[in-house]
Amino acid sequence: MFQFQHVPAQDGYTPRRSTYWTVLFLGFMTLLLSVVPSEAADTLVVYSGRAERLIKPVLDAFQTKTGIQVELLSSGTTELVNRLQVEGDRTPADVLITNDAGSLERARELGLFRPMNLREVDRAIPSQFRAADNSWIGLSGRFWIVVYNTKQVKPEEITSLLDLANPKWKGKIAIPNAGSEYLQAGISVIKAAQGHDRTTAFLKGLKNNAGNRVYGKSSQIVDAVSKGEVGVGIVNHYYVYRQLAQDPNAPIAALMPDQQEGGMGAIMNVAGIGVLKGTAHLDSAKLLVEFLVAQAGQKMFAELNKEYPLHPEVQADPALPPRDSFRAALVPLARLAELREPTMMLIEDAGLR
Amino acid sequence: MTASVLRHHALSPMQVLVVGIAGLLSLPLLYVMYRALTADTAIWGRLWRTRLPELLWNTFSLACSVGLLTFALGVSLAWLVTRLDFPGRRIWEWALVLPLAMPTYVLAYVYSYLLGTHGPVDRFWQAIAGPGTHIFAPQSFWGVTVVMALDTFPFVYLLTRTALLSMNVSFEEVARSCGIRPWQTFLRVTLPLLRPSIFAGVSLVVLYVVSDFGAVSLLRYQTLTYAVYQQMTGRYDYAAASVLSVLLVVFAIVFFASERWFRNRSRFYQTGGRFRRPTPQPLSLAGRMGALVITASTFLLSFGIPAGLLMWWSTDAFQEGLLDHRFIEFTWNTILLSGMAASSAVLLGIPVAYLATRQPTWLNHVCLHATYAGYVLPGPVAALALLVLAIAVVPGVYGTVYLLILAYVVHYLPVGLQSLEPAIQQVTPNVEEAARTLGCNIGGALRRVTIPLIWNGFVSAWTLMFLQCMKELPATLLLRPVGFDTLAVRVWLEASEELYTSAAAPALLIVVLSLPALALLVARDWKNTEIAT
């Protein structure tokens, strides 16, 4: 295939040059082999399925406060759960942070977590946002909402997420891809609330309307809506408010769907944390959990990320609609794990990417 | 007599080594085949019903369109710089190789900005054609085609150029003297003679397109490789990903086989006689301008403008304080990994290529072909297979850079073998034996005769693999140790969040680091051409 010309040097034999290079090459190899970074023994290793820029500032603050070194591996939530399952006892990770309660519950079912009883946690986080045995703990709330371009769309046009399957939105809507955890969680909730048939119809409509506007990241969807490439998108609420905080003139707004009389309510999910069973740094891991659920940590999620803090005494960002001004859908978060596989089938059968 | 006995004894452990290497490198493919073939048939059915026709069609049509476009671009540019005389010919001749330093995902993200809504081109277009109109989007079939072709045409260009330079011009002169017109001569004489090189170049492009992950993910174009990655990162089982990868493997094997068949049918030999180097033809003023416009605009679109934009964004990032000490770490990690991977691959490749050449037994040929297994496996899948196998067999390696290096070796060794194999083939055993009879011992003969003779192939192989490893994305994403990011990973993480300025500095660094390696490769190629002619 790749054939640059390899005519051997015709000036014949040049032992000195090649000996020199061989020595250099072997020296290089030895050098490289000797400097492979080794893991410091007392660092806390965090696997995080959240976008790096949403979690790194908080972990940096923890590191500054406690002096505990944190090593972060940012990747996809599902990918990390898969990876932890394969790694088993060999995992270098001490804690797992994800953007989705369903994945946390799934990890709990796989026996990856170590149940914890921390007084701080019981005080700070209401029990509906934790696993039954406290093996995972919710940290911040997020709502799956509709973002719309204020120049192109009037908010009255949409009352429910299900409206987005209406053919009138063809070519005007951006959605996350089928591998996205909140899409899977959101569809699970819709299926629990609306039933199989309506959900299937919704997915087919969504697929038709979105075309190739299927994105890997919420930030891309917000960007597309803000540029006017599409009129509406489905994202987690805080991406909209983060964008507005950066650029107050962006022509976008968030719309809380399904608040109408008898509607299912807005779809809620939580980002959360679990301590892995085999951690060798239990004390540091506990300190991290305590830091994140305490008022200071919760304020960071509220202020930096524009998420809803779960600690009842911490206020959400004033730019956000107050938490008591809208209803959330009534599907327990822990059920998201068991709903996920059938939901996945539904999503795939509808042909979503 | 003594020599052959000694050689026989010296090769036995080597045989074991070669079988071991081949076994190790083909394990990932075997594992994935096993997973796919034992997968629930319902998975095959569901994939076929819902996704496969679209994915197969997308992958196939993209490979075809990029192949055709690179064919047109590469051949015409090679023809321009070798046969016609126009301003700056010598400069364009090497400048057109530079896009090889630009990873496809970098070009993809630069063009998402340039052509995207409210990007500079879009605004300019609206100023001319009126508001509400849009130039074609980079996130479309044609957008992906253009981005990929701009990045991969140098493969075709380089190989065609070399062939044009080493081709005997008297063939063309004979045709001309028989009264055939220049254009006809090109079609009926020159092009058929170039066919093997062009095929080689285009097939490199096609394999590149089929296995690319970075560009298609940033441009949201669904190919099999991208779908494999999505299945792996969005679902709780790897079976569907394995099924999709096996289809990719079949695709690649069919392609390989047909490429070999075509190439075997089109071999041409210079059977003695005189050889003359073509002299570039002078052109009319209009012709010179036309040639200049074509070469310059291809260069600007594929390298000049993107590189300029990256520099501009990087200065912004620098002023905003986005470049911190971590960048030194990312750069170091990238060089470390690529260097180690390229070196290990060369060391593993030499015995395999050596045995296959010197002792062409069926076993050695099987070993040689087995090492090609990793090339047809998409990056994410090879990574997954290694992850699972490492934990099951050698858990100590898991989570270290060594596993990542192994993934690179599995994936890129075939690229290196393409240079190592012919280099070793060109050294006849007689030379070594002559050295031995003149009083060298085995080591001396190797050091003073064999190594200097294969040195060129050795360096080309190392450099090519180094270049590829620096850009590698999916395996790095899936296998990197905790806290160990490379420049490529940084580009992808930032670019996929639409953070243009943050992605620019690591992207620029990849380009800058690639340049010396590329220069080495090209200088060698240029020099050899001079010698060959």
Side-chain angles (χ1 to χ4, degrees):
Chain A
M1 289 178 307
F2 213 117
Q3 289 162 334
F4 288 98
Q5 282 226 325
H6 304 293
V7 180
Q10 307 225 330
D11 48 356
Y13 115 110
T14 47
R16 284 173 84 190
R17 191 186 58 168
S18 74
T19 314
Y20 169 72
W21 279 99
T22 313
V23 170
L24 202 72
F25 171 76
L26 291 175
F28 179 63
M29 282 296 287
T30 330
L31 176 77
L32 291 179
L33 283 168
S34 60
V35 292
V36 167
S38 56
E39 204 64 47
D42 53 346
T43 52
L44 192 66
V45 175
V46 176
Y47 277 14
S48 161
R50 306 198 52 179
E52 186 190 89
R53 65 202 165 103
L54 296 181
I55 195 70
K56 196 163 186 310
V58 186
L59 294 177
D60 284 348
F62 170 72
Q63 190 169 314
T64 315
K65 192 185 166 212
T66 59
I68 297 168
Q69 204 66 23
V70 179
E71 284 280 17
L72 173 66
L73 179 80
S74 283
S75 221
T77 289
T78 305
E79 181 205 326
L80 288 174
V81 174
N82 282 337
R83 191 164 162 168
L84 283 168
Q85 191 185 355
V86 179
E87 287 176 354
D89 297 337
R90 306 272 175 188
T91 183
D94 297 304
V95 299
L96 171 69
I97 294 179
T98 80
N99 55 8
D100 162 49
S103 315
L104 288 167
E105 179 64 14
R106 161 90 183 177
R108 187 190 74 78
E109 288 168 4
L110 290 169
L112 296 174
F113 290 144
R114 183 191 173 96
M116 296 222 292
N117 281 310
L118 292 171
R119 217 154 8 108
E120 294 292 327
V121 171
D122 289 340
R123 255 199 313 233
I125 307 292
S127 62
Q128 73 265 34
F129 303 131
R130 294 186 256 134
D133 58 355
N134 273 2
S135 51
W136 58 264
I137 294 135
L139 294 175
S140 54
R142 55 263 301 282
F143 288 87
W144 213 41
I145 52 99
V146 175
V147 56
Y148 65 96
N149 186 301
T150 48
K151 290 179 185 160
Q152 298 179 2
V153 175
K154 293 192 174 45
E156 309 84 84
E157 293 180 73
I158 303 158
T159 50
S160 162
L161 276 179
L162 299 184
D163 294 346
L164 297 177
N166 188 321
K168 82 175 217 185
W169 297 110
K170 189 167 175 62
K172 293 178 188 159
I173 154 170
I175 60 171
N177 70 34
S180 135
E181 290 81 20
Y182 18 94
L183 179 106
Q184 295 171 1
I187 302 301
S188 293
V189 172
I190 293 175
K191 184 165 166 262
Q194 310 275 350
H196 178 279
D197 293 347
R198 291 189 72 177
T199 313
T200 303
F202 170 62
L203 288 172
K204 293 222 162 101
L206 216 51
K207 177 188 150 70
N208 284 335
N209 290 346
N212 79 338
R213 302 222 174 255
V214 179
Y215 294 79
K217 312 265 166 152
S218 287
S219 50
Q220 296 172 325
I221 299 178
V222 172
D223 192 63
V225 173
S226 140
K227 282 177 176 163
E229 284 173 29
V230 285
V232 287
I234 316 180
V235 291
N236 280 333
H237 75 272
Y238 51 92
Y239 283 97
V240 183
Y241 294 101
R242 276 180 66 98
Q243 174 80 5
L244 283 171
Q246 265 175 17
D247 173 15
N249 296 321
I252 50 170
L255 185 151
M256 197 60 73
D258 296 290
Q259 298 299 311
Q260 75 277 25
E261 192 68 34
M264 66 180 169
I267 292 168
M268 185 188 187
N269 204 335
V270 299
I273 188 169
V275 175
L276 292 161
K277 203 165 63 182
T279 176
H281 308 106
L282 188 57
D283 292 337
S284 304
K286 276 183 181 165
L287 278 177
L288 177 63
V289 173
E290 280 168 352
F291 174 83
L292 296 174
V293 301
Q295 297 215 6
Q298 291 281 302
K299 270 203 183 99
M300 291 191 77
F301 286 120
E303 284 164 16
L304 291 174
N305 295 355
K306 317 286 179 201
E307 294 172 275
Y308 285 96
L310 297 182
H311 194 300
E313 283 151 45
V314 179
Q315 295 297 311
D317 191 280
L320 271 55
R323 180 60 197 87
D324 51 19
S325 70
F326 60 89
R327 281 184 304 116
L330 297 170
V331 176
L333 292 172
R335 269 199 72 203
L336 290 178
E338 67 183 84
L339 294 170
R340 180 153 153 174
E341 198 49 36
T343 299
M344 239 6 252
M345 294 286 180
L346 217 59
I347 291 175
E348 284 187 354
D349 280 339
L352 255 68
R353 290 175 169 178
Chain B
M1 162 76 196
T2 357
S4 71
V5 168
L6 268 177
R7 208 164 64 214
H8 182 74
H9 277 281
L11 285 177
S12 257
M14 197 166 173
Q15 185 76 67
V16 176
L17 180 71
V18 166
V19 172
I21 292 171
L24 178 71
L25 297 187
S26 51
L27 267 182
L29 179 64
L30 295 177
Y31 173 79
V32 173
M33 301 279 269
Y34 167 78
R35 282 297 294 261
L37 296 177
T38 53
D40 190 351
T41 44
I43 293 174
W44 286 82
R46 192 168 61 247
L47 280 171
W48 179 251
R49 224 173 38 247
T50 56
R51 304 295 319 280
L52 268 180
E54 183 202 7
L55 290 173
L56 286 172
W57 171 246
N58 281 359
T59 310
F60 177 76
S61 56
L62 186 68
C64 286
S65 65
V66 178
L68 280 175
L69 197 54
T70 51
F71 166 74
L73 262 179
V75 174
S76 56
L77 288 168
W79 173 263
L80 277 177
V81 299
T82 53
R83 293 297 163 87
L84 303 174
D85 201 14
F86 60 98
R89 184 178 73 88
R90 283 277 169 188
I91 297 171
W92 300 123
E93 197 172 2
W94 64 260
L96 288 172
V97 182
L98 290 179
L100 283 182
M102 185 80 65
T104 24
Y105 48 85
V106 171
L107 214 60
Y109 109 85
V110 164
Y111 276 101
S112 318
Y113 164 77
L114 285 175
L115 298 179
T117 313
H118 299 324
V121 177
D122 187 55
R123 264 179 286 170
F124 180 68
W125 184 257
Q126 295 201 5
I128 302 172
T133 54
H134 291 291
I135 200 160
F136 78 100
Q139 292 89 359
S140 63
F141 175 74
W142 291 112
V144 185
T145 301
V146 169
V147 165
M148 291 273 203
L150 280 177
D151 210 41
T152 51
F153 80 85
F155 289 129
V156 184
Y157 162 77
L158 260 178
L159 294 175
T160 313
R161 178 190 157 280
T162 314
L164 273 169
L165 284 177
S166 56
M167 195 174 100
N168 197 337
V169 75
S170 44
F171 291 129
E172 292 169 24
E173 282 168 357
V174 169
R176 296 291 305 278
S177 68
C178 293
I180 299 176
R181 289 191 207 172
W183 183 237
Q184 290 274 317
T185 311
F186 179 75
L187 281 184
R188 289 168 58 181
V189 179
T190 319
L191 210 53
L193 284 170
L194 293 177
R195 205 162 65 193
S197 305
I198 295 175
F199 262 126
V202 172
S203 55
L204 262 182
V205 169
V206 167
L207 283 176
Y208 194 100
V209 169
V210 168
S211 66
D212 177 81
F213 161 76
V216 288
S217 70
L218 289 180
L219 295 177
R220 309 197 313 270
Y221 185 78
Q222 293 271 321
T223 61
L224 272 170
T225 303
Y226 184 28
V228 166
Y229 182 81
Q230 285 186 331
Q231 287 284 343
M232 284 179 57
T233 53
R235 286 217 55 156
Y236 281 139
D237 77 85
Y238 291 140
S242 304
V243 169
L244 288 178
S245 340
V246 164
L247 289 172
L248 251 175
V249 171
V250 171
F251 191 99
I253 289 174
V254 168
F255 182 77
F256 261 125
S258 49
E259 192 252 355
R260 287 254 150 158
W261 188 74
F262 271 115
R263 241 206 288 181
N264 284 341
R265 280 180 19 134
S266 52
R267 285 239 162 104
F268 298 97
Y269 300 97
Q270 161 98 17
T271 53
R274 287 171 55 207
F275 177 86
R276 275 190 307 112
R277 200 198 160 113
T279 34
Q281 303 279 307
L283 279 171
S284 66
L285 182 66
R288 274 185 304 216
M289 285 317 178
L292 189 63
V293 167
I294 294 174
T295 39
S297 55
T298 312
F299 169 74
L300 283 178
L301 289 176
S302 59
F303 190 84
I305 293 171
L309 204 55
L310 289 181
M311 279 189 245
W312 183 45
W313 277 333
S314 298
T315 17
D316 277 2
F318 185 68
Q319 277 160 3
E320 287 169 31
L322 291 172
L323 302 181
D324 49 18
H325 66 278
R326 294 203 302 159
F327 266 86
I328 299 168
E329 207 182 299
F330 300 148
T331 312
W332 173 239
N333 289 348
T334 306
I335 298 176
L336 173 98
L337 264 182
S338 314
M340 281 179 83
S343 303
S344 326
V346 168
L347 289 180
L348 292 177
I350 285 176
V352 178
Y354 186 84
L355 262 202
T357 313
R358 288 297 162 80
Q359 294 198 324
T361 58
W362 67 267
L363 178 65
N364 289 334
H365 269 285
V366 167
C367 286
L368 183 70
H369 288 291
T371 51
Y372 278 82
Y375 201 60
V376 295
L377 217 50
V381 184
L384 160 76
L386 282 174
L387 195 152
V388 175
L389 290 170
I391 284 178
V393 187
V394 274
V397 174
Y398 182 74
T400 68
V401 286
Y402 299 111
L403 190 62
L404 199 47
I405 290 169
L406 185 60
Y408 287 2
V409 172
V410 165
H411 201 51
Y412 292 122
L413 177 60
V415 176
L417 278 175
Q418 291 290 335
S419 303
L420 286 176
E421 236 187 304
I424 292 175
Q425 271 166 7
Q426 278 162 348
V427 184
T428 68
N430 303 358
V431 201
E432 280 167 29
E433 279 158 14
R436 299 288 315 279
T437 52
L438 289 172
C440 275
N441 55 16
I442 297 182
L446 191 72
R447 186 166 53 84
R448 296 178 63 182
V449 178
T450 317
I451 291 181
L453 283 176
I454 63 169
W455 192 249
N456 266 355
F458 191 84
V459 172
S460 298
W462 192 91
T463 317
L464 271 174
M465 290 188 290
F466 182 79
L467 277 172
Q468 302 270 16
C469 292
M470 283 222 303
K471 304 191 266 185
E472 208 288 337
L473 199 50
T476 320
L477 279 173
L478 293 169
L479 287 181
R480 72 205 141 115
V482 179
F484 189 97
D485 281 358
T486 64
L487 292 169
V489 167
R490 294 313 303 177
V491 175
W492 193 79
L493 287 180
E494 308 282 13
S496 57
E497 299 267 359
E498 315 278 305
L499 298 170
Y500 293 110
T501 41
S502 316
L508 189 63
L509 271 170
I510 294 179
V511 176
V512 169
L513 288 176
S514 303
L515 289 180
L518 200 59
L520 185 69
L521 204 63
V522 168
R524 206 157 276 274
D525 177 52
W526 258 227
K527 194 175 74 200
N528 287 336
T529 316
E530 305 297 333
I531 294 167
T533 47

